[in-house]
Amino acid sequence: MTCIIFFNAPCLLLCVSQFERSMKVVEKKIEVPPCDKCGNLTGSMFCSLDKTEIGQLSSHKSFNLYKKGQVVFYEGNQPQGLYCIYSGKVKIHKLGDDGKEQIVRLAKTGNVIGYRALLSMDNYYATATALENTLICFFPKLVYLDLLMKNPEFSMKTIKILSGDLKTAEQMVTNMAQKHVRERMAEALLLLKEFFGLEEDKATINTVLTREDIGSIAGTTTETSIRVLSDFNKSKIIKLVGKKIKILNNRELSKIANVTE
Amino acid sequence: MNTQNASVNIQLKTPNCNQCWLKDFSVFKDCPKEILDEMFVHKQSRQFKKNEMLVRENDSFQGVFCIHEGVVKVSTSRNKNKEFILWFARPGDIIGIDSFVTSENYSFNALAIEPVSACFITASDFNELISNDPVVSRKLMKDMCEKINFIEDRITSISRKKIREQFAEMLISMSMQNKNAVLGNLPINCSVKDLASIMGTTKNYLDKILSDFNRKKVVSMHNKKIVIKDFDKLSLIAIGDEPLN
């Protein structure tokens, strides 16, 4: 009996590794359409480009699958190009002096990340990590910078995106400084709801984030994040279903978040 | 230094952008001469007294200000009418680019904390300038990126640091910005109340920290101005590595 197991074990291992290898092949076979046929084009920053420019962009692109938790780029590295999310979700976070992370931005399908470091010719100011399995197209930096110089409409679009970013960052720093943890947590939930949307039941937020992630959006510790969420759960404002969060009382949540706009 | 400055200012009350001594520090650094000449015709020079508002939050967007002289406090009071200071605009900085494309309203208050002279460029002129000249728009993008990075750094430090550490960090960064500063004697030209609303805390609490810093001989107060005495100790406090004594 033991003998059989002994002989079977390596065989099993071999099977598993073969299976894994075949999985990888499947992953590699995922195709991304050329940019002009991409469904995300109209909503992305590239919408103002004409056909030849998009063709140029498309011919230089490559794409990769990032698994959940895999890092797309690291804070402090030199940027080589631009990342455009084809599907999936990415968090952009910075490390504080004490080594704790703070999420500064979230990105979803159709968003472009890593452009700021390219524009300021600086190193990456933050780290990007995939929140789920994410397909990302990559454009070399020269192609992007070339387009930026040639097409004024495109650079206008970029400025628009930057000024939007600036405003969100300003809003965030104001909230951080003036609001209490409870208010910030409620606001973080509302932000997630607005950003990722709801599932078909129109109540569950369409993303799976750890308590730690939600805490680092609101700028607090994991412990406090858990405590506040379960408090919301108890007072029936939200319902925790595993890692998913269902919003039961939207009005109450906005009231706690103190959203005036 | 002061008298020199004053004489320059008198000469350049409504300066031509090409001769403006701030050109090299601003967005228009590499802008072609002809475009600047054209802009000079359209722009207006405006003077503001101390405590006068340049821009009020939620007013409809008219244009951007290029600061020529003086310091402007840019703040927001979105939350419960509590003031929060985003940044200080100095000569050469442009106020209003954050509201320039995305919305019709200003998203901040701008208040002159010294007598200010600023050049006003209307929205359509500025728009034209950026969309026609890739050099200016590249520089503008770069400036905006720096500003976003600055604010995101502050988000990280606000959420992760104690007020005490933040305060030390703030004092250091403000003394660095002061161009006339000499190490060892760094006066910070800002009231304690303003410092409190930069960090979103109260004046009383900062006074407490200040008196503690004062006792440890890290800073001292001279006619309501803060002077940094021990730069090394202050940087240790800022990174949360304060010596115990």
Side-chain angles (χ1 to χ4, degrees):
Chain A
M1 193 62 191
T2 47
C3 192
I4 296 166
I5 292 172
F6 184 70
F7 274 110
N8 268 358
C11 188
L12 203 71
L13 273 179
L14 196 73
C15 275
V16 168
S17 69
Q18 256 174 358
F19 178 63
E20 264 182 3
R21 217 174 288 153
S22 68
M23 278 291 283
K24 264 178 198 156
V25 171
V26 171
E27 278 162 9
K28 275 204 171 160
K29 271 189 183 157
I30 297 172
E31 284 292 328
V32 170
C35 291
D36 54 331
K37 292 201 178 69
C38 179
N40 307 325
L41 180 67
T42 45
S44 81
M45 77 194 298
F46 303 115
C47 62
S48 56
L49 297 177
D50 65 30
K51 260 200 170 146
T52 48
E53 283 167 329
I54 285 177
Q56 190 190 344
L57 205 62
S58 195
S59 62
H60 285 92
K61 84 168 174 184
S62 55
F63 69 93
N64 267 320
L65 175 82
Y66 293 87
K67 284 196 181 144
K68 186 180 174 180
Q70 202 177 340
V71 171
V72 183
F73 55 75
Y74 282 98
E75 184 173 350
N77 279 9
Q78 199 108 62
Q80 298 301 327
L82 193 69
Y83 298 86
C84 185
I85 303 173
Y86 177 68
S87 70
K89 283 153 198 157
V90 170
K91 67 174 175 182
I92 294 160
H93 50 105
K94 277 176 94 79
L95 272 185
D97 287 351
D98 53 357
K100 281 180 192 151
E101 74 164 20
Q102 167 70 41
I103 294 183
V104 288
R105 219 151 56 84
L106 293 165
K108 60 179 174 187
T109 304
N111 286 158
V112 172
I113 52 174
Y115 52 93
R116 227 142 68 207
L118 280 182
L119 291 173
S120 59
M121 307 208 185
D122 220 338
N123 294 348
Y124 284 121
Y125 68 98
T127 308
T129 308
L131 286 172
E132 50 187 65
N133 288 354
T134 304
L135 270 173
I136 299 181
C137 296
F138 174 83
F139 304 104
K141 70 175 168 192
L142 282 177
V143 181
Y144 173 64
L145 293 178
D146 191 42
L147 279 178
L148 213 56
M149 281 315 254
K150 278 185 191 150
N151 189 337
E153 215 177 307
F154 183 51
S155 61
M156 203 61 188
K157 179 80 191 163
T158 313
I159 292 178
K160 256 181 209 179
I161 292 174
L162 282 177
S163 91
D165 277 2
L166 186 57
K167 264 183 123 172
T168 0
E170 282 175 353
Q171 175 95 55
M172 200 160 164
V173 75
T174 318
N175 287 345
M176 241 10 130
Q178 294 186 328
K179 288 191 171 178
H180 301 292
V181 177
R182 224 175 121 83
E183 293 172 297
R184 294 204 306 256
M185 284 296 291
E187 186 143 358
L189 290 179
L190 288 173
L191 177 108
L192 288 176
K193 181 193 136 201
E194 199 181 313
F195 196 77
F196 291 123
L198 298 173
E199 282 178 3
E200 280 132 19
D201 61 351
K202 296 204 169 128
T204 312
I205 298 173
N206 186 17
T207 181
V208 184
L209 283 178
T210 59
R211 304 282 189 264
E212 191 184 355
D213 277 339
I214 299 175
S216 62
I217 293 171
T220 182
T221 55
T222 319
E223 293 85 353
T224 312
S225 161
I226 293 169
R227 202 148 34 82
V228 175
L229 282 179
S230 76
D231 185 40
F232 285 166
N233 192 18
K234 218 187 269 168
S235 39
K236 300 231 164 67
I237 299 163
I238 58 170
K239 193 175 181 204
L240 301 171
V241 190
K243 263 188 187 168
K244 295 222 163 181
I245 295 167
K246 199 169 173 179
I247 297 179
L248 298 177
N249 193 341
N250 203 354
R251 196 196 269 173
E252 188 62 30
L253 201 62
S254 321
K255 210 169 136 195
I256 295 173
N258 230 322
V259 186
T260 44
E261 286 151 88
Chain B
M1 187 72 195
N2 275 337
T3 51
Q4 227 176 25
N5 258 351
S7 68
V8 171
N9 291 332
I10 292 162
Q11 282 166 16
L12 301 174
K13 257 298 186 265
T14 47
N16 183 324
C17 296
N18 276 319
Q19 283 149 21
C20 184
W21 64 287
L22 290 163
K23 190 190 160 198
D24 284 350
F25 305 114
S26 79
V27 174
F28 307 112
K29 189 181 173 194
D30 300 314
C31 186
K33 254 189 162 171
E34 307 77 54
I35 297 179
L36 277 186
D37 276 336
E38 197 184 320
M39 193 176 80
F40 173 62
V41 181
H42 294 294
K43 74 168 189 185
Q44 305 158 5
S45 188
R46 293 192 188 169
Q47 314 296 323
F48 296 90
K49 291 191 198 94
K50 192 179 170 183
N51 289 337
E52 212 177 329
M53 299 281 267
L54 279 79
V55 166
R56 234 175 263 274
E57 196 167 349
N58 292 330
D59 275 4
S60 66
F61 181 76
Q62 308 278 323
V64 298
F65 287 94
C66 186
I67 309 294
H68 181 246
E69 196 194 328
V71 177
V72 175
K73 180 172 89 176
V74 180
S75 64
T76 165
S77 47
R78 247 169 288 182
N79 297 336
K80 300 181 219 154
N81 296 324
K82 248 194 289 176
E83 189 192 32
F84 179 76
I85 298 178
L86 295 166
W87 57 296
F88 288 95
R90 282 153 209 281
D93 287 337
I94 287 188
I95 304 179
I97 25 176
D98 17 4
S99 307
F100 154 63
V101 240
T102 41
S103 79
E104 300 90 43
N105 296 338
Y106 288 109
S107 58
F108 53 83
N109 291 308
L111 180 94
I113 56 172
E114 297 173 4
V116 163
S117 95
C119 299
F120 180 74
I121 307 165
T122 59
S124 57
D125 282 345
F126 195 64
N127 205 342
E128 205 177 318
L129 184 74
I130 295 173
S131 44
N132 288 341
D133 191 52
V135 182
V136 178
S137 62
R138 263 319 290 282
K139 183 76 173 63
L140 183 71
M141 280 178 214
K142 215 175 157 179
D143 284 8
M144 285 172 92
C145 290
E146 271 164 26
K147 196 104 133 291
I148 298 171
N149 289 352
F150 167 72
I151 286 180
E152 289 188 345
D153 273 340
R154 284 191 60 196
I155 294 177
T156 333
S157 87
I158 280 181
S159 71
R160 295 297 174 206
K161 283 188 169 180
K162 292 179 195 150
I163 297 281
R164 196 185 163 78
E165 295 162 13
Q166 279 179 47
F167 185 38
E169 193 179 73
M170 185 60 60
L171 288 179
I172 291 170
S173 81
M174 292 193 79
S175 66
M176 296 284 192
Q177 280 171 13
N178 199 335
K179 280 165 195 151
N180 308 329
V182 190
L183 207 73
N185 179 26
L186 307 161
I188 282 139
N189 200 358
C190 192
S191 73
V192 177
K193 193 173 167 244
D194 275 349
L195 285 172
S197 49
I198 291 175
M199 280 171 288
T201 178
T202 56
K203 181 175 174 291
N204 295 345
Y205 188 51
L206 271 200
D207 276 335
K208 230 167 122 186
I209 296 175
L210 257 182
S211 73
D212 183 47
F213 281 0
N214 205 347
R215 211 176 51 239
K216 288 185 176 162
K217 299 202 174 79
V218 183
V219 301
S220 67
M221 302 285 286
H222 283 293
N223 348 308
K224 289 191 175 175
K225 278 187 185 170
I226 304 164
V227 180
I228 299 178
K229 287 281 174 201
D230 193 337
F231 207 84
D232 298 338
K233 220 175 195 175
L234 197 64
S235 13
L236 279 182
I237 296 174
I239 56 168
D241 202 10
E242 192 177 356
L244 292 167
N245 51 13

